[in-house]
Amino acid sequence: MKKIKRAAKPATKKSRKANPSKATPRIPVRGDARKKPKPRADAFLARRSGVRSRELQQTPTAAAAHRDLPELRALALEAMDAALDKKALMPVLIDVSGLASYTDFIGIVSGRSDRQVDAIADNIIAFMKSRGRHVLGQEGSGGGRWTLLDFGSLVVHVFYHPVREFYDLESLWIEAPRVKMEIPPESMLTQPDALYGAL
């Protein structure tokens, strides 16, 4: 006589707990705490390449960033003196350390001609180079009308004077304090009509 096989009983709650491998798979639900998050692509690439991500550096405090401000002010004054050595006109040194993030001091000087503008700029570059400060960028409108010298903590604008009056950069920094300078009388502008021609 043949034995009749009985149909398997449906799994009860007790049997599911006893044998978890035969339990029905759980459908993941959005926001499920048990669902493992997918690894981020940048973390995967960092592990694969062996490169460690750099930790964020804390920005220095304002006091630490400006602790050498008197030294920078003295250097900026000496750079303006180098401009005066080439008979620059109307030098102005503006302290923007509390207002601007790209520099601490802005110097503005004028020249009587395009050749003088170039000579003033070259003398400032030579002086700063002798102090170990190289120009980071030099720009100009061409023709000796305007030259910008970027030394990082100091930015100097050398203008042909009518161009300086046209752009009037001093008025853009009207709230910034001016650094006191000793300006010789020959560097003061007294008769603009006699000194300059048309633009």
Side-chain angles (χ1 to χ4, degrees), residues 27-40:
I27 300 172
V29 180
R30 179 185 286 181
D32 190 359
R34 287 179 281 187
K35 184 180 177 184
K36 292 184 180 179
K38 293 181 179 179
R40 290 179 52 190

Side-chain angles (χ1 to χ4, degrees), residues 59-67:
T59 55
T61 61
H66 294 101
R67 65 180 169 221

Side-chain angles (χ1 to χ4, degrees), residues 30 33 35 47 102 149-150 159:
R30 179 185 286 181
K35 184 180 177 184
R47 281 198 311 271
Y102 64 93
L149 305 173
D150 184 3
F159 283 104

Side-chain angles (χ1 to χ4, degrees), residues 103-182:
T103 190
D104 293 315
F105 295 95
I106 295 175
I108 304 171
V109 295
S110 298
R112 291 181 174 88
S113 66
D114 53 353
R115 288 187 178 184
Q116 189 181 16
V117 167
D118 292 338
I120 292 168
D122 291 341
N123 203 44
I124 293 172
I125 291 172
F127 167 76
M128 294 294 280
K129 189 175 181 180
S130 70
R131 293 303 180 94
R133 299 291 183 106
H134 297 277
V135 65
L136 302 176
Q138 181 175 357
E139 298 179 16
S141 62
R145 299 285 176 124
W146 166 72
T147 301
L148 181 146
L149 305 173
D150 184 3
F151 296 98
S153 59
L154 171 66
V155 173
V156 182
H157 297 270
V158 186
F159 283 104
Y160 176 54
H161 194 75
V163 178
R164 174 181 177 176
E165 289 179 336
F166 177 78
Y167 285 106
D168 193 18
L169 290 185
E170 290 96 326
S171 65
L172 295 177
W173 299 100
I174 196 67
E175 297 178 1
R178 271 56 175 167
V179 179
K180 291 183 180 179
M181 301 175 58
E182 292 184 12

